[in-house]
Amino acid sequence: QVQLVESGGGLVQPGGSLRLSCAASGFTFSNYAMSWYRQAPGKEESWRELVASISSTSDTRNYADSVKGRFTISRDNAQKTVSLQMSSLRPEDTAVYYCSTWDQTKTYWGQGTQVTVSS
């Protein structure tokens, strides 16, 4: 079955950096686009925000306007991982970050990793 396991979250000061990773298993990773979403404190699951996405071959990457120029999504198909490099972090980036993929029947989520940006 599809498994997505995020890691790398933590507490960081404003202006700092973090790198999130997601290890995938249970599907042919190299065939699927991948995304990172985030859910801000107090927001329901339906309010999860798409942060960044990357195509199966990495030739297309898209970012939310709020993170353009600060976040970079990448993937390693051999290692079956997708990463999110976050820099110039702001307090408003505080959220639980989720790795995600989808097929014709459903969307798959990891358990999430907490990112807190605070001084």
Side-chain angles (χ1 to χ4, degrees), residues 37 48 53 55 58 82:
Y37 282 77
R48 283 183 187 175
S53 62
S55 64
S58 301
V82 58

Side-chain angles (χ1 to χ4, degrees), residues 93-105:
D93 294 319
T94 295
V96 178
Y97 284 71
Y98 296 90
C99 176
S100 178
T101 192
W102 60 95
D103 60 22
Q104 292 178 334
T105 60

Side-chain angles (χ1 to χ4, degrees), residues 16-78:
S17 299
L18 275 178
R19 185 177 180 88
L20 306 183
S21 293
C22 172
S25 61
F27 64 106
T28 306
F29 182 78
S30 58
N31 288 352
Y32 288 82
M34 299 294 298
S35 293
W36 285 96
Y37 282 77
R38 65 187 181 186
Q39 185 172 341
K43 296 282 192 179
E44 296 183 355
E45 183 175 332
S46 58
W47 286 88
R48 283 183 187 175
E49 174 191 14
L50 176 61
V51 175
S53 62
I54 186 168
S55 64
S56 59
T57 57
S58 301
D59 56 352
T60 302
R61 308 178 199 213
N62 293 296
Y63 298 92
D65 287 343
S66 57
V67 307
K68 278 181 183 175
R70 301 188 298 120
F71 291 12
T72 302
I73 189 171
S74 61
R75 66 188 293 160
D76 184 332
N77 283 348

Side-chain angles (χ1 to χ4, degrees), residues 85-117:
Q85 178 67 47
M86 307 185 294
S87 60
S88 301
L89 283 161
R90 305 167 180 167
E92 55 263 39
D93 294 319
T94 295
V96 178
Y97 284 71
Y98 296 90
C99 176
S100 178
T101 192
W102 60 95
D103 60 22
Q104 292 178 334
T105 60
K106 66 181 291 185
T107 299
Y108 301 92
W109 302 95
Q111 83 288 350
T113 187
Q114 176 71 48
V115 172
T116 302
V117 184

